[in-house]
Amino acid sequence: QVQLVESGGGLVQAGGSLRLSCAASGRTFRTLAMGWFRQAPGKERESVARISWSGGSTYYADSVKGRFTISRDNAKNTVYLQMNSLKPEDTAVYYCAAGRVPLTMTTAAYWGQGTQVTVSS
């Protein structure tokens, strides 16, 4: 069993930065792909970024490429999402997830509780 706890959300002005963290419990963390999803009000949950168990492979949604960076520290059982040049359309609840490759809504076996990110214009 893996438990995920997100932190780092908040309110930021457009153009600003935030770093989300997701702390995982469980010995299987190092074997799992990790990722971040987000859900804005009235919209479906969407994949933002994902990273392989080794950190050697990453994926980004087109809407965040060049602005967001996903990374992981397996020694700390933590995955990060560095978000730069934030836009109002990035406002959403951000969820950390873990599962098998490729990490999608379907293959994600574990989810965090979510952290709110609000970007003001």
Side-chain angles (χ1 to χ4, degrees):
Q1 189 73 9
V2 176
Q3 291 186 323
L4 305 174
V5 179
E6 302 102 331
S7 62
L11 173 65
V12 65
Q13 288 188 331
S17 298
L18 283 174
R19 188 175 83 154
L20 304 183
S21 298
C22 174
S25 63
R27 294 182 294 176
T28 60
F29 173 81
R30 294 175 179 78
T31 67
L32 297 173
M34 301 292 297
W36 292 92
F37 295 74
R38 68 185 181 187
Q39 187 166 19
K43 294 189 178 181
E44 294 186 353
R45 192 172 299 190
E46 63 176 355
S47 177
V48 175
R50 58 180 183 248
I51 188 166
S52 62
W53 68 270
S54 68
S57 177
T58 57
Y59 157 87
Y60 296 95
D62 287 343
S63 58
V64 306
K65 275 182 185 176
R67 300 188 298 122
F68 291 11
T69 302
I70 189 170
S71 61
R72 66 189 295 165
D73 185 338
N74 286 343
K76 296 182 178 180
N77 278 14
T78 303
V79 64
Y80 305 97
L81 186 67
Q82 178 66 45
M83 305 185 294
N84 298 328
S85 302
L86 282 161
K87 304 176 181 180
E89 50 263 44
D90 294 318
T91 295
V93 177
Y94 283 71
Y95 297 91
C96 177
R100 58 182 174 85
V101 175
L103 190 68
T104 66
M105 289 284 293
T106 302
T107 61
Y110 307 100
W111 291 89
Q113 82 286 354
T115 185
Q116 177 70 46
V117 171
T118 302
V119 185
S120 63
S121 57

